[in-house]
Amino acid sequence: MKLFRRIRRVCCLAAALMTAAGCCLAETDLRVEDRGLDLSDEISIHYPAITGTEDAALEEQINEQIQQDNRIREYLARAAQLISGGSLKTEWTGGITGEDLFSCTVSAGGALETTRTTHAQTGSNIDLQDGHEITLQELFTDETEARETIESYLEEEVAPDMSAHLQNSEVTPMPEAFVIEPAGLRLLYPVDKLSTLNDRAGDIRIGWTS
């Protein structure tokens, strides 16, 4: 289908841009470590942090961006409020790709804002050379066309195969939150737009060669 050819063209372009995004960082003991706070069996906030860079200021900037992107300070403040009763847990996945790209997803569940139990997913895509957040515009030569192509794919190929039992199943417009993975682009939806059968925030992966 023409749609798939267009998806392949824009996604392969993104993969090429990722590979060619400048020279690699100087040799360092660069790694990702787990940080967090465990207050009880029901309250546990964990998130990733970069360590081992040769530039302390850059390392601080990157870790600040990770926390900002993923609402870590909000969750820590909320956890303190729930000490007398309530549940809030976060966990993360992700890592370093090609030595100069860090991507992660933070999954948070529990009483995130009110007493009602809910779920949210957030993500980071950070250039480790200068600490800036990678945007969708940087991945494609024409962001507008890319969005239109992806949304057409979501409406024509993904939406028809979704379960009719989902409480929320709005695949378009595509969400602003996304994560760059080695296999493709992972779109992260708010739970009130797309949710799984167990009421967790949904996500959709689009392979670089879909």
Side-chain angles (χ1 to χ4, degrees):
M1 293 176 61
K2 180 179 179 181
L3 174 62
F4 277 113
R5 288 199 297 273
R6 293 180 68 201
I7 283 284
R8 183 177 296 109
R9 186 170 70 248
V10 294
C11 288
C12 283
L13 171 61
L17 288 175
M18 288 170 59
T19 302
C23 59
C24 295
L25 297 172
E27 285 190 26
T28 63
D29 188 25
L30 192 64
R31 62 191 183 279
V32 184
E33 68 176 25
D34 177 75
R35 293 183 183 173
L37 177 68
D38 296 300
L39 297 179
S40 70
D41 290 341
E42 294 300 318
I43 302 177
S44 177
I45 309 299
H46 282 260
Y47 56 93
I50 295 292
T51 65
T53 69
E54 295 181 336
D55 185 332
L58 176 59
E59 186 172 300
E60 182 179 359
Q61 176 187 339
I62 291 170
N63 288 327
E64 173 63 29
Q65 188 66 54
I66 292 171
Q67 293 193 38
Q68 180 178 320
D69 289 342
N70 296 290
R71 301 174 57 190
I72 300 304
R73 287 196 174 85
E74 293 177 41
Y75 293 145
L76 289 170
R78 180 62 176 157
Q81 297 172 356
L82 295 172
I83 266 188
S84 58
S87 175
L88 175 56
K89 296 182 179 181
T90 71
E91 56 186 13
W92 63 274
T93 59
I96 298 171
T97 300
E99 298 185 19
D100 55 11
L101 169 65
F102 171 77
S103 294
C104 76
T105 301
V106 172
S107 171
L112 304 188
E113 298 177 357
T114 67
T115 56
R116 185 175 71 88
T117 296
T118 187
H119 180 257
Q121 290 190 107
T122 52
S124 290
N125 304 286
I126 300 175
D127 186 328
L128 296 178
Q129 295 192 47
D130 59 17
H132 84 276
E133 182 79 16
I134 297 172
T135 65
L136 195 68
Q137 183 177 10
E138 290 181 70
L139 293 181
F140 303 101
T141 54
D142 188 328
E143 181 187 2
T144 300
E145 181 185 8
R147 284 182 179 274
E148 292 174 352
T149 299
I150 291 172
E151 290 187 352
S152 293
Y153 173 76
L154 293 171
E155 291 176 346
E156 298 177 22
E157 301 297 330
V158 177
D161 291 334
M162 299 184 74
S163 171
H165 301 290
L166 294 179
Q167 182 175 352
N168 303 303
S169 56
E170 298 178 33
V171 296
T172 56
M174 65 178 287
E176 292 303 313
F178 68 93
V179 173
I180 302 167
E181 298 181 329
L185 205 61
R186 181 181 178 192
L187 307 180
L188 307 176
Y189 286 82
V191 69
D192 62 348
K193 296 298 182 182
L194 179 64
S195 57
T196 65
L197 291 173
N198 58 354
D199 295 326
R200 292 171 65 86
D203 58 66
I204 296 175
R205 286 181 168 89
I206 301 177
W208 296 127
T209 57
S210 294

